[in-house]
mmCIF file of all heavy atoms in Angstrom:
data_model
loop_
_atom_site.group_PDB
_atom_site.id
_atom_site.type_symbol
_atom_site.label_atom_id
_atom_site.label_comp_id
_atom_site.label_asym_id
_atom_site.label_seq_id
_atom_site.Cartn_x
_atom_site.Cartn_y
_atom_site.Cartn_z
ATOM 1 N N LEU L 212 36.452 5.119 9.818
ATOM 2 C CA LEU L 212 36.352 3.688 10.058
ATOM 3 C C LEU L 212 36.846 3.314 11.452
ATOM 4 O O LEU L 212 38.006 3.497 11.671
ATOM 5 C CB LEU L 212 37.024 2.897 9.000
ATOM 6 C CG LEU L 212 36.599 3.171 7.546
ATOM 7 C CD1 LEU L 212 37.558 2.436 6.499
ATOM 8 C CD2 LEU L 212 35.141 2.798 7.352
ATOM 9 N N ASN L 213 35.964 2.905 12.333
ATOM 10 C CA ASN L 213 36.455 2.798 13.772
ATOM 11 C C ASN L 213 36.157 1.311 14.134
ATOM 12 O O ASN L 213 34.846 1.018 14.242
ATOM 13 C CB ASN L 213 35.772 3.754 14.562
ATOM 14 C CG ASN L 213 36.480 3.822 15.997
ATOM 15 O OD1 ASN L 213 37.355 3.022 16.254
ATOM 16 N ND2 ASN L 213 35.820 4.595 16.847
ATOM 17 N N SER L 214 37.048 0.461 14.435
ATOM 18 C CA SER L 214 36.700 -0.945 14.843
ATOM 19 C C SER L 214 36.265 -0.848 16.265
ATOM 20 O O SER L 214 36.463 0.135 16.992
ATOM 21 C CB SER L 214 37.918 -1.865 14.744
ATOM 22 O OG SER L 214 39.131 -1.383 15.477
ATOM 23 N N GLY L 215 35.732 -1.969 16.751
ATOM 24 C CA GLY L 215 35.201 -2.045 18.145
ATOM 25 C C GLY L 215 36.252 -2.094 19.207
ATOM 26 O O GLY L 215 37.375 -2.557 18.950
ATOM 27 N N ALA L 216 35.964 -1.468 20.325
ATOM 28 C CA ALA L 216 36.876 -1.496 21.482
ATOM 29 C C ALA L 216 36.881 -2.784 22.158
ATOM 30 O O ALA L 216 35.811 -3.471 22.141
ATOM 31 C CB ALA L 216 36.419 -0.330 22.459
ATOM 32 N N GLY L 217 37.945 -3.207 22.719
ATOM 33 C CA GLY L 217 38.010 -4.405 23.448
ATOM 34 C C GLY L 217 37.388 -4.265 24.825
ATOM 35 O O GLY L 217 37.147 -3.189 25.325
ATOM 36 N N GLY L 218 36.943 -5.515 25.330
ATOM 37 C CA GLY L 218 36.338 -5.421 26.651
ATOM 38 C C GLY L 218 37.398 -5.152 27.732
ATOM 39 O O GLY L 218 38.532 -4.707 27.327
ATOM 40 N N THR L 219 37.152 -5.371 28.986
ATOM 41 C CA THR L 219 37.975 -5.079 30.174
ATOM 42 C C THR L 219 39.435 -5.464 29.852
ATOM 43 O O THR L 219 40.380 -4.672 30.053
ATOM 44 C CB THR L 219 37.538 -5.704 31.396
ATOM 45 O OG1 THR L 219 36.232 -5.306 31.648
ATOM 46 C CG2 THR L 219 38.398 -5.323 32.564
ATOM 47 N N SER L 220 39.703 -6.702 29.290
ATOM 48 C CA SER L 220 41.091 -7.092 29.043
ATOM 49 C C SER L 220 41.130 -7.565 27.620
ATOM 50 O O SER L 220 42.191 -8.319 27.263
ATOM 51 C CB SER L 220 41.535 -8.162 30.059
ATOM 52 O OG SER L 220 40.704 -9.294 29.983
ATOM 53 N N GLY L 221 40.267 -7.310 26.706
ATOM 54 C CA GLY L 221 40.273 -7.809 25.364
ATOM 55 C C GLY L 221 40.929 -6.866 24.378
ATOM 56 O O GLY L 221 41.089 -5.729 24.738
ATOM 57 N N ASN L 222 41.363 -7.339 23.338
ATOM 58 C CA ASN L 222 41.971 -6.467 22.336
ATOM 59 C C ASN L 222 40.906 -5.775 21.446
ATOM 60 O O ASN L 222 39.821 -6.309 21.329
ATOM 61 C CB ASN L 222 42.792 -7.377 21.289
ATOM 62 C CG ASN L 222 43.940 -8.013 22.021
ATOM 63 O OD1 ASN L 222 44.448 -7.565 22.941
ATOM 64 N ND2 ASN L 222 44.299 -9.213 21.403
ATOM 65 N N GLY L 223 41.275 -4.590 20.939
ATOM 66 C CA GLY L 223 40.474 -3.791 20.117
ATOM 67 C C GLY L 223 40.314 -4.678 18.741
ATOM 68 O O GLY L 223 41.249 -5.333 18.403
ATOM 69 N N GLY L 224 39.245 -4.340 17.998
ATOM 70 C CA GLY L 224 39.088 -4.901 16.653
ATOM 71 C C GLY L 224 40.026 -4.295 15.733
ATOM 72 O O GLY L 224 40.545 -3.247 15.788
ATOM 73 N N ALA L 225 40.284 -5.134 14.605
ATOM 74 C CA ALA L 225 41.129 -4.686 13.533
ATOM 75 C C ALA L 225 40.394 -3.990 12.307
ATOM 76 O O ALA L 225 39.164 -4.231 12.219
ATOM 77 C CB ALA L 225 41.972 -5.773 12.985
ATOM 78 N N ILE L 226 41.101 -3.247 11.591
ATOM 79 C CA ILE L 226 40.504 -2.846 10.241
ATOM 80 C C ILE L 226 41.351 -3.450 9.145
ATOM 81 O O ILE L 226 42.568 -3.332 9.131
ATOM 82 C CB ILE L 226 40.511 -1.288 10.127
ATOM 83 C CG1 ILE L 226 39.663 -0.636 11.269
ATOM 84 C CG2 ILE L 226 40.105 -0.789 8.840
ATOM 85 C CD1 ILE L 226 39.586 0.892 11.200
ATOM 86 N N THR L 227 40.657 -4.125 8.283
ATOM 87 C CA THR L 227 41.269 -4.851 7.128
ATOM 88 C C THR L 227 40.739 -4.310 5.778
ATOM 89 O O THR L 227 39.607 -4.297 5.659
ATOM 90 C CB THR L 227 41.072 -6.337 7.323
ATOM 91 O OG1 THR L 227 41.438 -6.789 8.636
ATOM 92 C CG2 THR L 227 41.793 -7.161 6.268
ATOM 93 N N LEU L 228 41.711 -4.029 4.985
ATOM 94 C CA LEU L 228 41.345 -3.580 3.668
ATOM 95 C C LEU L 228 41.856 -4.668 2.661
ATOM 96 O O LEU L 228 42.984 -4.868 2.621
ATOM 97 C CB LEU L 228 41.866 -2.147 3.271
ATOM 98 C CG LEU L 228 41.541 -1.010 4.136
ATOM 99 C CD1 LEU L 228 42.367 0.222 3.699
ATOM 100 C CD2 LEU L 228 40.077 -0.677 4.082
ATOM 101 N N ILE L 229 40.976 -5.321 1.918
ATOM 102 C CA ILE L 229 41.329 -6.380 1.085
ATOM 103 C C ILE L 229 40.648 -6.211 -0.295
ATOM 104 O O ILE L 229 39.448 -6.001 -0.225
ATOM 105 C CB ILE L 229 40.991 -7.774 1.671
ATOM 106 C CG1 ILE L 229 41.615 -7.979 3.006
ATOM 107 C CG2 ILE L 229 41.398 -8.856 0.598
ATOM 108 C CD1 ILE L 229 41.240 -9.306 3.670
ATOM 109 N N THR L 230 41.389 -6.206 -1.346
ATOM 110 C CA THR L 230 40.746 -6.162 -2.716
ATOM 111 C C THR L 230 40.129 -7.475 -3.071
ATOM 112 O O THR L 230 40.538 -8.475 -2.498
ATOM 113 C CB THR L 230 41.758 -5.511 -3.645
ATOM 114 O OG1 THR L 230 42.807 -6.625 -3.913
ATOM 115 C CG2 THR L 230 42.402 -4.320 -3.307
ATOM 116 N N GLY L 231 39.347 -7.341 -4.110
ATOM 117 C CA GLY L 231 38.934 -8.659 -4.630
ATOM 118 C C GLY L 231 39.896 -9.503 -5.356
ATOM 119 O O GLY L 231 40.867 -8.897 -5.973
ATOM 120 N N ILE L 232 39.820 -10.847 -5.389
ATOM 121 C CA ILE L 232 40.693 -11.768 -6.048
ATOM 122 C C ILE L 232 40.475 -11.683 -7.512
ATOM 123 O O ILE L 232 39.351 -11.510 -7.920
ATOM 124 C CB ILE L 232 40.707 -13.105 -5.374
ATOM 125 C CG1 ILE L 232 39.299 -13.731 -5.550
ATOM 126 C CG2 ILE L 232 41.102 -13.094 -3.997
ATOM 127 C CD1 ILE L 232 39.326 -15.218 -5.191
ATOM 128 N N GLY L 233 41.466 -11.934 -8.230
ATOM 129 C CA GLY L 233 41.235 -12.023 -9.686
ATOM 130 C C GLY L 233 40.669 -13.425 -10.096
ATOM 131 O O GLY L 233 40.794 -14.378 -9.390
ATOM 132 N N GLY L 234 39.949 -13.332 -11.142
ATOM 133 C CA GLY L 234 39.215 -14.583 -11.581
ATOM 134 C C GLY L 234 39.997 -15.349 -12.605
ATOM 135 O O GLY L 234 40.722 -14.766 -13.389
ATOM 136 N N GLY L 235 39.866 -16.705 -12.605
ATOM 137 C CA GLY L 235 40.472 -17.501 -13.587
ATOM 138 C C GLY L 235 42.012 -17.450 -13.543
ATOM 139 O O GLY L 235 42.615 -17.307 -12.551
ATOM 140 N N THR L 236 42.621 -17.611 -14.723
ATOM 141 C CA THR L 236 44.049 -17.637 -14.852
ATOM 142 C C THR L 236 44.661 -16.230 -15.204
ATOM 143 O O THR L 236 45.842 -16.087 -15.193
ATOM 144 C CB THR L 236 44.554 -18.687 -15.798
ATOM 145 O OG1 THR L 236 43.995 -18.360 -17.063
ATOM 146 C CG2 THR L 236 44.112 -20.058 -15.361
ATOM 147 N N THR L 237 43.792 -15.303 -15.584
ATOM 148 C CA THR L 237 44.338 -14.094 -16.098
ATOM 149 C C THR L 237 43.857 -12.829 -15.264
ATOM 150 O O THR L 237 44.419 -11.735 -15.485
ATOM 151 C CB THR L 237 43.959 -13.838 -17.561
ATOM 152 O OG1 THR L 237 42.494 -13.847 -17.683
ATOM 153 C CG2 THR L 237 44.548 -14.933 -18.501
#
Side-chain angles (χ1 to χ4, degrees):
L212 299 176
N213 191 2
S214 60
T219 304
S220 60
N222 295 333
I226 295 177
T227 304
L228 301 175
I229 300 175
T230 64
I232 61 172
T236 58
T237 59

